[in-house]
Amino acid sequence: MRKIVLVAVVMIACADLVFAAPPSKKPFVIKLIPPELATWPRMKATDFGCMLEKRFGIQDKQYGCAADFDRMDWGDACLGATTNYNGGPELPLSVSKSLPSPISEVDLEWEHGELQHLSVTFDRKVSEREVEAMFGLRIDGPKPENLMSVDLQDCALGKSCLTLQGFDHMGAADFECGSEVAAEQPL
């Protein structure tokens, strides 16, 4: 009789282990790191939107993973803001807030479906050396293929701003909008 009771107790104990709820885990927080920002210039808007969706769970219906870059109308430089020429996803505040101090703000500028440049605002003045160490690139030295220029300036009282430029701005003046030449050349 003793053996039967002992077996029953062991079976109940094992059942509790098998059907017990898994231990709770703390939520995993995904953060951006500054060197990632240097990879964004020239990125397609749909690739950026898909990155936000996959890494941060932020789904953008227009620019997310399901969007087809080649089938989208990227607007007309001659018509500017009245078309999707400067369209692209924004960096959500919840994502930009994951960047370490002294970075306080990140602004994105899109042209024809690609990130033309991004601006990083710091909450204080920073030196070239600090920026180079933080972003893993040289301001006056060789740059990755996606970066045309890197510019650090004082942009406000006690603050610095960094611009990571992928390509030159191409606006209405560059396409000779309104002239006969522009009418003959497809965009």
Side-chain angles (χ1 to χ4, degrees), residues 24-33 36 54-57 94 98:
S24 64
K25 295 180 180 179
K26 292 182 181 179
F28 179 68
V29 178
I30 300 171
K31 294 185 176 192
L32 282 175
I33 56 172
E36 287 181 84
K54 286 180 178 179
R55 284 195 55 202
F56 301 99
S94 61
S98 75

Side-chain angles (χ1 to χ4, degrees), residues 85-128:
Y85 188 73
N86 295 103
E90 292 185 20
L91 184 63
L93 188 59
S94 61
V95 175
S96 65
K97 291 285 185 191
S98 75
L99 285 161
S101 181
I103 297 172
S104 63
E105 187 178 334
V106 177
D107 293 310
L108 309 175
E109 292 293 326
W110 299 92
E111 279 190 18
H112 206 255
E114 293 184 25
L115 187 60
Q116 191 264 334
H117 78 268
L118 64 94
S119 301
V120 179
T121 304
F122 298 95
D123 60 11
R124 61 178 172 79
K125 285 190 178 186
V126 293
S127 70
E128 284 188 8

